[in-house]
Amino acid sequence: MSNDIVLVGAGCMGAALLPGLFKGFQKSRILVVDTSPLRREKVAAMGVDVASAIDNIDGGATVVLALPPNSFSGFASSTLALKGHAGLVISVMAGVRIATIKHALQICNVVRAIPNTPAETLKSMTVFCAATSVSLLCLEFAERVLSLFGEAIRVESENLMDPATAICGGGPAYISYFAECMRCFAVEQGFNDDESALIVAQVLCGTGSLLSVGDRRPMQLCRDVMTPGGTTARAVEVLDRNNFKEVVGDALLKATIHSRSLGCMVEEAENERSHR
Ligand SMILES: NC(=O)C1=CN([C@@H]2O[C@H](COP(=O)(O)OP(=O)(O)OC[C@H]3O[C@@H](n4cnc5c(N)ncnc54)[C@H](OP(=O)(O)O)[C@@H]3O)[C@@H](O)[C@H]2O)C=CC1
Ligand SMILES: O=C(O)[C@@H]1CCC=N1
């Protein structure tokens, strides 16, 4: 295994992986491959090598696939240099199954991971699953790489990768959505923009710090705030009356189901391509 890293796709997720890769691979060659000239320009400005495609690759390089799921089949068929690649391939693509990646690229060392955008500040929550064909060396290396972005846990069942995509991958979106609702209320009530943004950010960070201590479950933290007969209980009553828990559950289920169907779509595209 060499120290080279090739990141394919430097969009919102791929770019968020760069700080962790810089931290872990200071002495290595990092190549970022992206079809978008704008993305390449941004990454090149950080002093990183960029390319629009992989022409050749060191056999031991680690490849991180952070391109859109629906671009994968086209990418796999046009990237001959990756066919039979011996090194580790980590995919962060939503839905795309390990078997599909193995088949498309004719490789063994595939790890499917779902990080999230807080990787940008090395605070990702990443869930990953390894192909049974991954070598022990590659598996240990994958754990090390994924831990560079924040917390990383490995699951045995690939089925869990779809709910992980909904919860972990999408999580920062729902929390930010909730934050935006609170920010709008703060502004409506008369706080200025900066004050509103600070209040919401600090409430979330502070709550996150309590959650990450880990000795109290979220609902315990909620109850701790709900002074009997107090103001918060009035607010939580409204959330309960409007079935907030069910709404969140429905939203996460929709995302989970879509992750599975993305996996099926990419597999179908791949099957069609290989039978052509
Ligand atoms: N955003 C997130 O929070 C998370 C995303 N993911 C996964 O990460 C992947 C990327 O998502 P995201 O960053 O949001 O998407 P973006 O659209 O922001 O970025 C994708 C980038 O990949 C480029 N790209 C497309 N096709 C190719 C190709 N064949 N070769 C090289 N680069 C290519 C795109 O270029 P162009 O614009 O020219 O198409 C774009 O710059 C997806 O698979 C997604 O499921 C996983 C977890 C969380
Ligand atoms: O929305 C998406 O499909 C990607 C995967 C999880 C977060 N963003």
Side-chain angles (χ1 to χ4, degrees):
M1 203 143 50
S2 77
N3 273 331
D4 288 8
I5 294 278
V6 179
L7 171 67
V8 184
C12 298
M13 191 62 245
L17 299 177
L18 281 171
L21 294 178
F22 292 154
K23 184 180 78 167
F25 296 94
Q26 283 159 1
K27 297 205 176 97
S28 312
R29 179 174 186 238
I30 300 177
L31 172 69
V32 171
V33 177
D34 200 298
T35 44
S36 155
L38 204 69
R39 305 276 198 201
R40 290 202 298 276
E41 210 176 291
K42 267 187 166 175
V43 174
M46 300 176 202
V48 178
D49 291 343
V50 293
S52 58
I54 302 177
D55 293 330
N56 53 62
I57 185 167
D58 184 292
T62 296
V63 180
V64 180
L65 299 175
L67 68 166
N70 60 12
S71 302
F72 174 68
S73 195
F75 164 82
S77 61
S78 61
T79 311
L80 298 178
L82 258 193
K83 290 279 148 72
H85 185 65
L88 171 66
V89 174
I90 299 176
S91 162
V92 304
M93 295 181 289
V96 186
R97 292 193 278 261
I98 290 171
T100 308
I101 300 168
K102 281 177 66 174
H103 179 260
L105 297 173
Q106 292 153 33
I107 54 175
C108 300
N109 291 315
V110 180
V111 166
R112 176 177 167 191
I114 279 294
N116 59 20
T117 49
E120 188 181 330
T121 54
L122 310 181
K123 298 268 186 209
S124 177
M125 180 62 238
T126 304
V127 177
F128 70 99
C129 180
T132 47
S133 50
V134 170
S135 71
L136 191 60
L137 195 68
C138 280
L139 182 59
E140 284 170 1
F141 194 65
E143 278 172 349
R144 284 221 304 280
V145 173
L146 295 170
S147 298
L148 291 169
F149 309 129
E151 294 287 339
I153 57 167
R154 179 175 162 218
V155 292
E156 289 294 336
S157 164
E158 192 177 357
N159 266 335
L160 285 176
M161 293 307 292
D162 301 300
T165 302
I167 302 163
C168 270
Y174 325 130
I175 305 294
S176 302
Y177 189 109
F178 195 80
E180 175 61 6
C181 299
M182 300 225 296
R183 194 195 67 80
C184 287
F185 179 76
V187 170
E188 273 165 29
Q189 294 297 311
F191 290 101
N192 69 31
D193 269 356
D194 287 349
E195 289 165 345
S196 306
L198 174 67
I199 289 168
V200 171
Q202 189 58 16
V203 167
L204 289 184
C205 285
T207 310
S209 73
L210 292 181
L211 282 167
S212 66
V213 172
D215 56 350
R216 280 173 293 175
R217 297 286 185 219
M219 207 52 209
Q220 182 59 48
L221 291 178
C222 181
R223 282 195 209 99
D224 289 348
V225 185
M226 290 198 291
T227 308
T231 59
T232 315
R234 296 293 164 99
V236 172
E237 265 167 38
V238 176
L239 297 180
D240 281 345
R241 208 166 43 243
N242 287 282
N243 299 319
F244 191 68
K245 191 175 173 188
E246 281 85 347
V247 169
V248 173
D250 277 359
L252 291 172
L253 185 61
K254 270 268 156 55
T256 303
I257 291 169
H258 190 60
S259 173
R260 293 208 172 104
S261 50
L262 278 175
C264 294
M265 280 189 271
V266 177
E267 191 176 297
E268 273 166 29
E270 192 38 42
N271 283 341
E272 248 175 53
R273 187 193 62 78
S274 63
H275 286 117
R276 241 181 262 140

